[in-house]
Amino acid sequence: MFWILTFVFLYIPICLCAFTDNECYVINSEFFYHEGDVTIGAFFPLHIYYTGNKVPDKYMPYSFQDYHVQYKFKNYQFVLALLFAIEEINRNPDLLPNTTIGYGIYNIPYTEKNILYRAFIWHTGKINSFPNFDCGHKRKSPAILTGPSWSTSAHIGTFLQLYKIPQVTFGPFDSILNDRGQFNSLYQMAPKDTSLSLAIVLLLLHFHWSWVGLILPDDHRGTQILLDLRENMENHGICIAFLKMISGTWNAYSNAQWKNMEKIEESSANVIVIYGDITSVQGLMRHIAQLLVTWKVWVLNSSWDVDTHSDYFMVESFHGSLVFSHHHEEMVEFMNFVQTVNPYKYPEDTYLPKFWHLFFKCSFSEFDCQLLENCQPNASLDLLPRHQFEPVMGEEGYHIYNAVYAVAYSLHEMNLQQIQTQPYPNGEEKELSPWQLHPFLQNTIMRSHVRRQIATHGGGNLDSQYDILNFWNFPSGFGLKVKVGTYSLNAPQGLQLSLCEQMIQWPTGFTKIPQSVCSESCRPGFRKAAKEGKAVCCFDCTPCADNEISNETDMDQCVKCPESHYANSERNHCLQKSVSFLAYEEPLGMALTITAICFSLLTALVFVVFVKNRDTPIVKANNRALSYTLLLTLIICLLSSLLFIGLPNTTTCILQQTAFGILFTVALSTVLAKAVTVVIAFKATVPARMMRWLMISRAPNFIIPICTLIQLIICGIWVVTSPPFIDQDTQAEHGHIIIVCNMGSTVAFHTVLGYLCSLALGSYTMAFLSRNLPDTFNEAKFLSFSMQVFFCVWITFLPVYHSTKGKVMVAMEVFSILASSIALLGLIFAPKCYIILLRPEKNSCLGIRHKNHSRRNINLNLVKN
């Protein structure tokens, strides 16, 4: 609460304070220094000059009248990190004893020309100096610190390598600066970003962001990070919505060059990755801040910052951004040190008075701009707004701290070696030559002699660890970077990324975790179908096919359920199929069972009637023995249909088809024998020896055993070679496994059926030939008609049987057996039962004589007429 109240009272809009007309505030030195036995030079971007309306100066060419100064207060932490490290070393009696370290801090100007000019001033110690001339300046600076921009380090490094002066950079690692042929005196403190691309991709995967925009610098760094990002993104199914390569010349004030950046706002990607250092992205940051883009999540690397005056425009633009920063140990002592810093403690510092004047209402002295009056008591830098100054040591500050220690350890080892090998005569101190420090500095950095493994030299790699920071800037000016997660390359697989989602504040345009996808996820039960000509992240959702499922989101292919399972209606689970068969209990099985039993009882009743009336003419006229055989066979045929109902087993499977074939063979051969008997009976009146012999020898009685024997042989071959067996039909009925009998050999089944049809055809032929023979009880017409019905039933059976499956197929065969049996019963025996039971007068000798006498009188009358 104290900090918030302090923030409210101290926060002053930058547009009002950063551009004051106070002469002391505007006038500033480009460098300041503190003497020591050895001095470390440092080049920091602390302030810049710019022009608003570009009003030309009347007296100075290539100059303007309306120059303004802009202080980069956030970068002042670089100065404090340098001072903190130097003071620690100077207090350490075991490190560089009897030697104090001083510093010379130089502001980095904007142009390359002025950058080199500052390097000349540092090298010669004079403002007006000439290259390659030694004006008597005794140089005591063993090394120089540069950064954070790689271009600034490269410009200064080109100059320093002429004199072999060690240069240590604290900015992001850069591959060009690592070129020993071009920069043989340069050492980088920052580790390589070899795993940054993977860390970013894992973050995208964590939130299921598959449609991402990229904004990268148009240089070697952007090309390298693009290759790494593209490879990792493709391996993990993440697509690039758009790619923008920005030039380093797009500075914060060239707004005309940003017109084609409007597609950032229009893009369907809600997540945009920005990679670059302070120099390359400062113009981009200002432009985005002016657009007030509050509906995008920005994923940034640590080397970013927004110009301090841009905070006025940055109402909520970068609130909720996620920042990757190299992990480093927390420096609690540094925060304590910041609390002690004030203009009176460091009178040579020209920037501290600006802080006190701007934020603590101090007034400059009329005589000296360095002296302050009327200041607030207990003023401290840690009370400043966080968007202006952060008292916690940042990544660049940590590299500066380690760089100073690396130089100090190197000097210490070099001094020890010189004392041991070549003691100074008469106690005189030997002049320091910076090039002598190279082997010691290189060994110190490679051995990671400071508090942690700080960097490598010559192509080595640092084990990468990143802190994931969430930028809180709501309300505007809050400006906190809060650690919400970590990434560690050496962590076990699956545990490399750790996030605390509850701590993350998202941009104000989102009320929940943002989504950034080209197409909505395909829910379970659907699969992804790629859109032609589109990225793999853009797809349609297609339902899974029958009996296929997808139990996860965004599945490329559906999975087919096992034969014993079936897909539920949502097609996201495979369910166990229930076992089913044509049971007696279900309606279809019950109807067929009742039908079979009822008609078998009816057939038995007919048989009883025939036995009871066995001596009547109608029974005796058509060979009652064959009638008995046919009736008994029909009873068994009707009851054999029950073999198809109920749970099948091996025995019933074999009996189903063989009993069907043999019983119907007996029935049809009996019909054939009856038809042959009729023909032989009437042909026997013709004087032909053969006919008489057939009648006397009772040849028709051999038709049944011969025909049955042939069918027995066929069935025997069938059972021996490929017998019917129990089978499971998983496709016939959804959600069920139908237990059925597989016929084994379809050839044998159709052979049996064909043989039956041939018997029926023979019976029909014989009956048809004898249909018009004169006889009172001639049943040839009924036999021929019954065979026609038999043909119709079984000819219809074949296509229907092969077009159905499961229980319906079984029921179809049962129905055919019952239909053909009932047809034989009804068409052959119903007329006889009608005469026996309802017209008994016709079933007597008197009735027969009367019928014949009537026919004879009719014939005589026809003759007379």
Side-chain angles (χ1 to χ4, degrees):
M1 178 62 73
F2 173 77
W3 189 93
I4 295 176
L5 292 174
T6 306
F7 165 79
V8 172
F9 285 106
L10 294 181
Y11 176 69
I12 303 171
I14 303 306
C15 62
L16 299 177
C17 298
F19 310 111
T20 178
D21 292 330
N22 188 291
E23 185 176 354
C24 286
Y25 183 81
V26 175
I27 297 175
N28 195 28
S29 174
E30 294 298 315
F31 59 90
F32 64 93
Y33 59 91
H34 182 78
E35 290 291 345
D37 297 326
V38 292
T39 303
I40 296 179
F43 284 75
F44 299 144
L46 299 176
H47 69 271
I48 62 172
Y49 292 100
Y50 70 97
T51 177
N53 300 320
K54 297 183 178 180
V55 179
D57 191 277
K58 296 180 180 180
Y59 305 104
M60 298 182 62
Y62 308 108
S63 185
F64 301 97
Q65 293 181 359
D66 57 339
Y67 268 122
H68 301 277
V69 63
Q70 176 189 345
Y71 292 104
K72 296 180 176 292
F73 292 118
K74 281 189 177 182
N75 292 348
Y76 188 73
Q77 188 188 98
F78 301 162
V79 177
L80 296 182
L82 179 71
L83 297 181
F84 175 65
I86 290 176
E87 290 187 8
E88 269 193 353
I89 295 171
N90 288 338
R91 291 195 304 267
N92 189 350
D94 299 324
L95 182 60
L96 291 176
N98 302 322
T99 302
T100 59
I101 299 179
Y103 55 84
I105 298 176
Y106 296 78
N107 179 56
I108 297 178
Y110 188 75
T111 63
E112 298 177 9
K113 172 185 175 183
N114 289 334
I115 290 175
L116 291 176
Y117 178 64
R118 295 287 189 278
F120 275 118
I121 294 176
W122 170 83
H123 179 65
T124 61
K126 297 182 180 295
I127 297 179
N128 298 318
S129 58
F130 300 93
N132 298 325
F133 281 85
D134 187 358
C135 300
H137 174 68
K138 186 176 182 180
R139 186 166 51 250
K140 296 182 180 180
S141 184
I144 186 172
L145 305 184
T146 61
S149 170
W150 76 274
S151 57
T152 300
S153 298
H155 294 322
I156 298 176
T158 304
F159 168 74
L160 295 180
Q161 70 177 356
L162 298 175
Y163 303 95
K164 299 186 181 301
I165 299 174
Q167 177 187 3
V168 184
T169 67
F170 60 90
F173 185 90
D174 192 275
S175 58
I176 288 184
L177 299 181
N178 205 41
D179 184 1
R180 303 304 296 162
Q182 187 176 0
F183 300 101
N184 54 15
S185 299
L186 188 145
Y187 303 88
Q188 299 190 73
M189 300 304 297
K192 292 183 179 180
D193 283 329
T194 52
S195 62
L196 176 61
S197 60
L198 179 59
I200 293 175
V201 169
L202 290 181
L203 175 70
L204 300 179
L205 285 175
H206 179 83
F207 291 109
H208 306 287
W209 294 332
S210 59
W211 189 241
V212 181
L214 297 181
I215 302 179
L216 310 174
D218 190 11
D219 54 21
H220 63 283
R221 297 166 303 147
T223 302
Q224 182 60 48
I225 195 68
L226 176 60
L227 292 175
D228 296 340
L229 279 173
R230 193 188 297 274
E231 179 182 359
N232 284 300
M233 291 171 72
E234 289 178 354
N235 292 339
H236 293 85
I238 300 175
C239 300
I240 299 176
F242 66 86
L243 172 63
K244 188 64 182 178
M245 307 296 288
I246 59 174
S247 171
T249 60
W250 292 9
N251 56 58
Y253 306 100
S254 55
N255 291 331
Q257 303 185 48
W258 297 93
K259 291 182 179 180
N260 61 344
M261 293 293 291
E262 298 300 326
K263 69 177 183 179
I264 292 179
E265 299 178 85
E266 301 171 0
S267 173
S268 58
N270 291 327
V271 177
I272 300 174
V273 177
I274 301 179
Y275 177 86
D277 59 18
I278 293 177
T279 302
S280 62
V281 300
Q282 62 177 347
L284 172 68
M285 292 296 185
R286 175 184 172 86
H287 183 72
I288 294 175
Q290 290 174 338
L291 293 177
L292 298 179
V293 184
T294 62
W295 55 91
K296 303 292 183 185
V297 178
W298 309 97
V299 179
L300 311 157
N301 66 317
S302 60
S303 301
W304 74 283
D305 195 6
V306 180
D307 294 337
T308 49
H309 72 278
S310 298
D311 285 347
Y312 176 75
F313 304 100
M314 204 180 77
V315 177
E316 296 168 8
S317 293
F318 290 97
H319 172 70
S321 299
L322 296 172
V323 185
F324 281 86
S325 174
H326 281 287
H327 176 74
H328 56 81
E329 61 179 292
E330 296 184 4
M331 305 290 292
V332 180
E333 300 88 348
F334 178 74
M335 297 184 64
N336 298 331
F337 167 76
V338 170
Q339 295 176 359
T340 64
V341 173
N342 59 68
Y344 309 104
K345 183 178 179 181
Y346 301 99
E348 68 279 0
D349 191 331
T350 59
Y351 290 93
L352 282 176
K354 308 300 188 296
F355 274 105
W356 259 247
H357 169 75
L358 181 62
F359 295 106
F360 302 117
K361 305 301 182 181
C362 296
S363 57
F364 291 101
S365 171
E366 296 180 1
F367 305 101
D368 189 349
C369 287
Q370 293 296 103
L371 298 178
L372 297 173
E373 300 175 348
N374 303 321
C375 293
Q376 294 181 3
N378 301 323
S380 176
L381 290 175
D382 66 331
L383 299 177
L384 297 182
R386 292 302 184 260
H387 74 283
Q388 293 290 349
F389 179 81
E390 294 183 3
V392 180
M393 182 177 288
E395 183 176 344
E396 291 85 359
Y398 191 71
H399 295 329
I400 293 172
Y401 176 85
N402 287 328
V404 174
Y405 263 91
V407 173
Y409 277 111
S410 301
L411 286 171
H412 185 79
E413 291 185 4
M414 185 178 70
N415 291 340
L416 290 178
Q417 186 183 71
Q418 290 178 346
I419 292 174
Q420 294 173 359
T421 56
Q422 296 179 352
Y424 303 143
N426 300 324
E428 295 181 0
E429 182 179 351
K430 186 177 181 180
E431 182 178 350
L432 173 66
S433 296
W435 61 266
Q436 296 175 326
L437 190 64
H438 280 294
F440 301 97
L441 184 59
Q442 180 174 348
N443 291 335
T444 300
I445 295 178
M446 291 189 67
R447 289 197 313 265
S448 304
H449 206 309
V450 290
R451 294 187 177 183
R452 60 183 291 273
Q453 185 180 4
I454 53 175
T456 58
H457 189 224
N461 189 14
L462 180 69
D463 292 338
S464 296
Q465 270 190 306
Y466 290 92
D467 292 331
I468 302 175
L469 311 177
N470 186 217
F471 186 55
W472 295 0
N473 195 38
F474 184 78
S476 176
F478 195 50
L480 286 180
K481 291 179 182 178
V482 180
K483 181 178 177 179
V484 295
T486 59
Y487 168 81
S488 177
L489 182 63
N490 297 327
Q493 193 71 22
L495 301 176
Q496 294 176 325
L497 184 73
S498 175
L499 279 175
C500 181
E501 295 184 11
Q502 293 78 8
M503 293 183 60
I504 298 178
Q505 292 189 11
W506 299 108
T508 54
F510 300 101
T511 58
K512 58 182 181 179
I513 296 178
Q515 298 296 315
S516 186
V517 294
C518 181
S519 300
E520 291 295 330
S521 296
C522 294
R523 65 179 186 270
F526 292 80
R527 66 174 179 85
K528 295 193 295 185
K531 291 183 178 180
E532 186 176 357
K534 299 290 186 179
V536 296
C537 300
C538 303
F539 49 82
D540 295 319
C541 294
T542 304
C544 292
D546 291 339
N547 210 37
E548 292 185 353
I549 67 162
S550 62
N551 54 7
E552 297 178 2
T553 57
D554 291 338
M555 289 190 66
D556 295 321
Q557 296 295 332
C558 297
V559 180
K560 191 174 182 63
C561 289
E563 292 294 331
S564 59
H565 291 70
Y566 69 98
N568 62 349
S569 58
E570 291 80 14
R571 298 182 182 180
N572 56 5
H573 289 291
C574 288
L575 304 178
Q576 179 75 39
K577 290 183 178 179
S578 60
V579 176
S580 180
F581 50 88
L582 184 59
Y584 294 103
E585 296 81 8
E586 61 181 280
L588 182 59
M590 187 178 297
L592 294 174
T593 302
I594 293 173
T595 302
I597 294 175
C598 290
F599 277 95
S600 62
L601 293 175
L602 181 61
T603 307
L605 182 61
V606 172
F607 178 76
V608 172
V609 171
F610 266 62
V611 172
K612 187 176 181 180
N613 297 275
R614 59 185 177 276
D615 294 327
T616 58
I618 196 169
V619 175
K620 295 170 63 177
N622 299 114
N623 196 330
R624 58 186 175 190
L626 292 178
S627 297
Y628 295 160
T629 303
L630 181 56
L631 287 170
L632 291 174
T633 304
L634 289 177
I635 293 173
I636 302 174
C637 282
L638 290 168
L639 293 176
S640 69
S641 63
L642 300 179
L643 293 171
F644 293 85
I645 305 173
L647 180 62
N649 54 56
T650 304
T651 302
T652 56
C653 285
I654 295 175
L655 289 177
Q656 282 178 5
Q657 305 301 336
T658 55
F660 156 72
I662 294 172
L663 291 173
F664 268 94
T665 299
V666 174
L668 294 177
S669 60
T670 303
V671 175
L672 177 61
K674 291 173 72 69
V676 170
T677 301
V678 174
V679 174
I680 293 176
F682 283 95
K683 294 296 182 179
T685 59
V686 181
R689 184 175 298 175
M690 179 61 68
M691 289 300 174
R692 289 194 185 97
W693 179 84
L694 290 174
M695 191 67 182
I696 296 170
S697 62
R698 297 183 178 274
N701 294 337
F702 294 99
I703 293 176
I704 297 174
I706 292 173
C707 293
T708 305
L709 180 61
I710 295 173
Q711 188 69 286
L712 284 172
I713 294 173
I714 296 173
C715 291
I717 296 174
W718 183 5
V719 171
V720 171
T721 56
S722 181
F725 57 90
I726 300 176
D727 196 8
Q728 295 181 352
D729 190 345
T730 60
Q731 305 298 328
E733 190 173 341
H734 180 71
H736 294 83
I737 298 176
I738 309 300
I739 306 299
V740 295
C741 289
N742 191 306
M743 62 184 62
S745 173
T746 56
V747 175
F749 174 75
H750 289 91
T751 302
V752 169
L753 199 58
Y755 180 68
L756 293 177
C757 290
S758 65
L759 289 178
L761 181 61
S763 301
Y764 172 76
T765 302
M766 298 304 295
F768 182 79
L769 293 176
S770 60
R771 72 187 185 284
N772 294 322
L773 294 176
D775 186 23
T776 302
F777 301 113
N778 185 6
E779 61 179 353
K781 293 181 180 179
F782 302 114
L783 294 178
S784 62
F785 191 54
S786 66
M787 291 300 100
Q788 288 180 4
V789 175
F790 185 88
F791 260 112
C792 291
V793 170
W794 290 103
I795 292 300
T796 307
F797 163 79
L798 286 175
V800 176
Y801 181 82
H802 289 292
S803 63
T804 56
K805 294 181 178 180
K807 292 188 287 187
V808 178
M809 182 179 67
V810 177
M812 185 60 198
E813 187 170 358
V814 174
F815 175 80
S816 299
I817 294 173
L818 294 177
S820 55
S821 300
I822 295 170
L824 292 176
L825 175 65
L827 295 175
I828 296 176
F829 294 99
K832 296 180 177 62
C833 291
Y834 172 76
I835 293 174
I836 294 172
L837 298 177
L838 301 179
R839 302 294 297 273
E841 68 277 5
K842 292 185 177 182
N843 190 20
S844 63
C845 293
L846 180 62
I848 296 172
R849 291 193 190 99
H850 176 73
K851 183 177 181 181
N852 292 335
H853 178 73
S854 299
R855 287 180 180 175
R856 190 178 301 114
N857 291 335
I858 292 172
N859 292 334
L860 288 173
N861 293 331
L862 291 173
V863 172
K864 290 178 180 179
N865 293 333

